[in-house]
Amino acid sequence: MPPVANIHHGQAGPSTFDKLKMGAMMGGTVGCILGFMYGTINIFRYGAGTNGVMRTLGQYMAGSGATFGFFMGVGSVIRTDVADPEIREMYLQAQRRPIIWRSHQAWRRD
Amino acid sequence: MDHGRDPCPWVILNDFGGAFAMGCIGGSIWHGIKGFRNSPYGERRIGAITAVKMRAPVLGGNFGVWGGLFSSFDCAVKGVRQKEDPWNAIIAGAFTGGSLAVRGGYKAIRNGAIGCAVLLAVIEGVGIGMGKMFEGGTKLEMPQPPPGMEEKAM
């Protein structure tokens, strides 16, 4: 898809890579916060081990931040449609429409 | 992610499939690297492939169960409360965590529910924060929406 194609459509959505970055950033933030909470709880419960408090906490935060960021990045990419609205419309047109039958006389409410 | 989502009963299917695919793809990369690194030299490629084949679908299934259950509970909570706010997701997360831990007894249910509710609360909070952050950048080019449209756009 040429990058020029979006111009006359007015506003174009963010690209797939933008979505990947956004999802990874959001997941990283969530993971850091969760790692902070989980790490704090675990340090209070079981002690910090040989590494010291700050290092253990940092390991928790970095580990869960990386995991969450990775999976949220993947998730936001696969839930992204094509940024070009025309191609997206073509894709939607290519899907089969559902066939809806009128229900039998006996099942109708009215 | 943010383009118009399906109406409620159908969004469950959508979320279930999305979560399953997310787990499968993410698990393929994850266990591919892990299987590669944990195999002895000479068997690294076959080790990676074996690990992916064994573990990625399982991870996808776990993700899918979580996502589908969460989406079902989300729809149910929306239907009961008749409101659209972050509490929907938090309550649905608590139900999800509780029902996934239901075989572990009362304490496991409680811990799972609290854990998942906290997880969803953090996700919702970060989502709101990031929405506000990105809104500041796009506001310049967007025309001002007529008043009263903000609630419907949520």
Side-chain angles (χ1 to χ4, degrees), chain A:
Chain A
M1 167 172 68
V4 205
N6 277 332
I7 286 181
H8 61 276
H9 293 141
Q11 40 173 299
S15 72
T16 308
F17 187 64
D18 285 339
K19 283 296 195 83
L20 171 72
K21 277 191 295 188
M22 251 155 73
M25 210 156 80
M26 184 170 159
T29 318
V30 171
C32 270
I33 296 172
L34 286 174
F36 178 75
M37 289 156 75
Y38 187 71
T40 313
I41 291 172
N42 260 18
I43 288 171
F44 272 123
R45 281 174 87 183
Y46 305 117
T50 50
N51 275 332
V53 174
M54 286 321 276
R55 204 179 181 121
T56 317
L57 195 58
Q59 277 173 354
Y60 271 115
M61 285 170 72
S64 86
T67 316
F68 268 82
F70 172 66
F71 277 103
M72 279 237 193
V74 170
S76 72
V77 166
I78 65 170
R79 297 299 293 269
T80 300
D81 288 329
V82 185
D84 192 338
E86 222 166 64
I87 294 178
R88 175 146 184 270
E89 195 57 39
M90 275 158 64
Y91 173 74
L92 288 179
Q93 293 289 328
Q95 303 289 308
R96 274 167 65 187
R97 302 279 115 188
I99 304 168
I100 299 176
W101 300 79
R102 185 114 199 257
S103 59
H104 189 265
Q105 188 82 43
W107 294 95
R108 283 184 208 155
R109 292 252 175 88
D110 45 304

Side-chain angles (χ1 to χ4, degrees), chain B residues 92-151:
Chain B
F95 280 143
T96 309
S99 53
L100 284 178
V102 82
R103 295 175 71 196
Y106 166 72
K107 260 184 140 175
I109 294 176
R110 187 197 63 194
N111 291 344
I114 292 174
C116 276
V118 168
L119 169 79
L120 262 299
V122 171
I123 290 180
E124 286 288 317
V126 171
I128 291 171
M130 292 201 58
K132 286 224 168 108
M133 216 168 79
F134 283 112
E135 195 185 352
T138 54
K139 219 171 208 172
L140 296 172
E141 25 187 303
M142 294 251 284
Q144 203 67 28
M149 286 294 276
E150 277 103 354
E151 285 88 11

Side-chain angles (χ1 to χ4, degrees), chain B residues 18-143:
Chain B
F20 179 77
M22 179 167 135
C24 274
I25 297 174
S28 301
I29 303 173
W30 184 272
H31 286 295
I33 295 172
K34 211 177 147 192
F36 187 85
R37 290 188 55 203
N38 286 341
S39 303
Y41 290 112
E43 292 178 9
R44 304 206 109 173
R45 207 164 306 155
I46 190 76
I49 291 171
T50 312
V52 166
K53 281 203 290 194
M54 278 179 70
R55 304 223 165 90
V58 176
L59 197 69
N62 289 347
F63 268 66
V65 165
W66 204 95
L69 208 52
F70 171 74
S71 198
S72 320
F73 276 125
D74 199 31
C75 277
V77 170
K78 264 181 207 159
V80 171
R81 291 183 70 221
Q82 299 288 340
K83 267 191 232 169
E84 291 267 352
D85 57 1
W87 285 102
N88 278 345
I90 298 174
I91 295 168
F95 280 143
T96 309
S99 53
L100 284 178
V102 82
R103 295 175 71 196
Y106 166 72
K107 260 184 140 175
I109 294 176
R110 187 197 63 194
N111 291 344
I114 292 174
C116 276
V118 168
L119 169 79
L120 262 299
V122 171
I123 290 180
E124 286 288 317
V126 171
I128 291 171
M130 292 201 58
K132 286 224 168 108
M133 216 168 79
F134 283 112
E135 195 185 352
T138 54
K139 219 171 208 172
L140 296 172
E141 25 187 303
M142 294 251 284

